């Protein structure tokens, strides 16, 4: 068997949009992804449906996979002929141990690419409103590890050079050694009044900051139990934050959202909420298996007076089937309906006008003039007429354990239901023992449209936020204006 290929990819500092184009292309081509704790799990959504996902994350008190085991696994999977992606937070060449992994691959004759990423020492300060350099405040910048392989883990650095020769210093993962760092910088000539800022979860919507000076910051961090993952930035340039703070002023900054998914396509709503500063976790992740359609239905398309597309995915699948079978779509003389606003838009993108499924009315019994197009999971919801099955949709079990880890580190304060079907997914489907009902008791609940609100009410819950219109912009605006949310 031919050897595979390995991509050692920098995932960026947290914001999923900060991965490079080349890094994302590698993710989309992967057979196996070994990912770190600091690589945003949202990036895994772009992996192929059958991609194997392996967690290599390290926490301060425990290791899931030690470096030697990671090296061995990279070699093992590549020797099986697979495309392997090692997805690392930040930049793999900045305190990312990429050299050790590349060396192991080289020793076994395995080809690899190293894909740089945006490092957190640069990005986290920028998201806190602080550039790394500025002509008036600092023209030199250093990135420094705040722990090493010594017995006590305290870094052995050229303290005098740092204190007197560098204007701005970014310490990586420095909270545990913060007193040691501050003492040594002061001891070797850095003024005690030098501004310092701690930035936790930089570039995420849950970003936290703490400002002080070399003389005060260690005690401040202890008082509020500030913890890693964090960047410690030292220098006069920190004072620019008062003028340049931009990210934390976004209308949904601080919102940590669980967005319930019913489709397999990337969510426009998730992108909208993220663009306004929210942390968005989408769940569950669905996979689709295409099925062969009923040939009798294909041969009799012209006989239907009404066709209902239950999802945007069903639109794509249907037209793909027609193209593969060289069917002239002009045979379809029916009036078209969409099961959601997104389905209606998907048809409009193909130049076809459709109405909402609600316009079909409350017909009962058989309807030979109606064709319902969709995946197997919605068949019972549309008992009338014939059913054109496009695919089998299943929850990807790999993402249940990923969600559990994400919920450990995030503090979800908002649950968004984009459709009535999403209520059923979260409360009735078997998605693991995560405790969704406990979460719903604590979080603010937001619904896209009155139909979704009614579905939630049937389950015994009231929506705290209801969008004026059933679109993503309206829901985002309603969340920003909510008076209940204690985050503002």
């Amino acid at each position: 068997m031919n050897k595979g290929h390995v991509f050692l990819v920098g995932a960026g500092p947290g914001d999923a949009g900060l991965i490079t184009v080349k890094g994302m292309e590698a993710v989309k081509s992967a057979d196996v992804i070994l990912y770190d704790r600091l690589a945003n799990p949202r990036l895994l959504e772009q992996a192929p449906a059958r991609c194997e996902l392996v967690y290599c994350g390290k926490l301060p008190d425990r290791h899931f996979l030690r470096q030697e085991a990671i090296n061995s696994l990279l070699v093992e999977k590549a020797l099986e002929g697979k495309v392997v992606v090692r997805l690392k937070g930040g930049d793999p060449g900045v305190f990312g141990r990429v050299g050790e992994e590349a060396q192991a691959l080289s020793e076994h004759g395995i080809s690899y690419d190293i894909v740089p990423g945006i490092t957190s020492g640069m990005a986290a300060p920028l998201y806190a409103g602080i550039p790394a350099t500025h002509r008036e405040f600092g023209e030199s910048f250093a990135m420094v590890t705040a722990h090493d392989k010594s017995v006590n883990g305290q870094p052995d650095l050229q303290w005098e050079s740092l204190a007197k020769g560098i204007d701005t210093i970014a310490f990586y993962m420095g909270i545990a050694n913060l007193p040691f760092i501050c003492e040594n910088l002061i001891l070797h000539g850095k003024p005690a009044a030098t501004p310092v800022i701690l930035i936790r979860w930089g570039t995420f919507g849950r970003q936290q900051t703490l400002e002080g000076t070399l003389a005060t910051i260690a005690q401040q961090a202890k008082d509020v139990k500030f913890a890693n993952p964090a960047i410690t930035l030292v220098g006069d340039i920190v004072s620019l934050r008062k003028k340049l703070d931009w990210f934390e002023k976004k209308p949904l900054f601080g919102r940590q959202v669980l967005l319930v998914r019913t489709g397999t396509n990337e969510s426009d709503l998730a992108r909208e909420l993220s663009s306004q500063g929210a942390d968005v976790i989408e769940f569950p992740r669905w996979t689709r298996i295409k099925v062969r359609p009923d040939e009798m239905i294909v041969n009799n398309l012209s006989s239907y007076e009404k066709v209902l597309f239950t999802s945007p995915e069903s639109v794509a699948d249907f037209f793909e089937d027609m193209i593969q079978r060289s069917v002239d779509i002009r045979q379809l003389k029916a009036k078209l309906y969409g099961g959601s606003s997104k389905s209606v838009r998907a048809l409009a993108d193909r130049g076809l006008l459709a109405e909402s499924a609600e316009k079909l009315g409350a017909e009962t019994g058989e309807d030979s003039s109606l064709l319902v197009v969709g995946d197997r999971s919605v068949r019972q919801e549309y008992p009338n007429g014939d059913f054109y099955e496009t695919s089998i949709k299943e929850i990807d079990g790999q993402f249940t354990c990923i969600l559990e880890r994400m919920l450990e580190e995030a503090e979800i304060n908002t649950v968004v239901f984009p459709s009535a079907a999403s209520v059923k997914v979260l409360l009735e489907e078997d998605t693991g023992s995560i405790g969704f009902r406990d979460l719903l008791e604590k979080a603010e609940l937001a619904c896209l449209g009155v139909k979704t609100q009614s579905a939630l009410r049937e389950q015994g819950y009231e929506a705290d936020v209801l969008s004026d219109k059933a679109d993503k912009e309206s829901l985002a605006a309603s969340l920003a204006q909510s008076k209940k949310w204690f985050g503002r």
Side-chain angles (χ1 to χ4, degrees), residues 90-221:
D91 182 283
V94 181
F95 311 123
R97 304 182 76 171
V98 72
E100 298 170 47
E101 294 170 353
Q103 186 175 354
L105 296 170
S106 181
E107 289 173 353
H108 288 82
I110 297 168
S111 63
Y112 59 88
D113 282 22
I114 300 178
V115 183
I118 298 174
T119 185
S120 57
M122 303 278 292
L126 279 172
Y127 270 56
I130 307 164
T133 63
H134 189 285
R135 287 187 298 173
E136 294 181 15
F137 291 93
E139 297 183 345
S140 58
F141 174 67
M143 295 180 286
V144 182
T145 182
H147 56 87
D148 60 20
K149 297 175 69 174
S150 62
V151 174
N152 57 15
Q154 294 177 335
D156 182 14
L157 304 171
Q158 298 294 324
W159 290 107
E160 187 169 354
S161 297
L162 284 173
K164 296 181 178 180
I166 304 296
D167 296 316
T168 308
I169 312 167
F171 290 93
Y172 285 62
M173 297 295 187
I175 302 304
N177 286 326
L178 194 55
F180 177 78
I181 291 169
C182 295
E183 289 169 9
N184 275 280
L185 287 175
I186 294 171
L187 180 64
H188 290 86
K190 204 77 165 172
T194 302
V196 180
I197 187 170
L198 310 181
I199 309 164
R200 185 170 190 253
W201 291 115
T203 78
F204 282 92
R206 59 180 179 269
Q207 176 175 293
Q208 297 174 337
T209 56
L210 182 66
E211 294 184 66
T213 66
L214 283 177
T216 66
I217 195 66
Q219 186 60 49
Q220 289 175 256

Side-chain angles (χ1 to χ4, degrees), residues 398-442:
Q398 289 189 100
F399 277 78
T400 300
C401 61
I402 291 173
L403 176 68
E404 290 173 350
R405 280 194 293 271
M406 293 172 74
L407 293 180
E408 285 179 7
E409 297 184 330
E411 295 182 7
I412 298 297
N413 51 40
T414 309
V415 179
V416 173
F417 295 98
S419 65
S422 68
V423 176
K424 178 180 178 181
V425 165
L426 193 69
L427 295 175
E428 296 183 10
E429 296 289 343
D430 180 17
T431 53
S433 55
I434 297 175
F436 287 123
R437 290 189 179 272
D438 290 340
L439 180 60
L440 295 184
E441 295 292 344
K442 303 173 185 176

Side-chain angles (χ1 to χ4, degrees), residues 235-249:
D236 292 335
I237 205 167
V238 171
S239 62
L240 284 174
R241 171 174 162 80
K242 295 180 178 65
K243 295 181 179 179
L244 305 183
D245 180 22
W246 61 275
F247 180 56
E248 295 174 25
K249 292 180 179 178

Side-chain angles (χ1 to χ4, degrees), residues 368-411:
S368 60
S369 68
L370 172 65
L371 177 63
V372 179
V373 182
D375 65 80
R376 186 174 297 178
S377 67
V378 299
R379 189 163 197 160
Q380 292 181 345
E381 297 178 27
Y382 299 97
N384 302 340
D386 295 335
F387 194 85
Y388 183 102
E389 185 177 16
T390 57
S391 60
I392 301 171
K393 190 173 72 171
E394 298 175 340
I395 291 175
D396 189 337
Q398 289 189 100
F399 277 78
T400 300
C401 61
I402 291 173
L403 176 68
E404 290 173 350
R405 280 194 293 271
M406 293 172 74
L407 293 180
E408 285 179 7
E409 297 184 330
E411 295 182 7

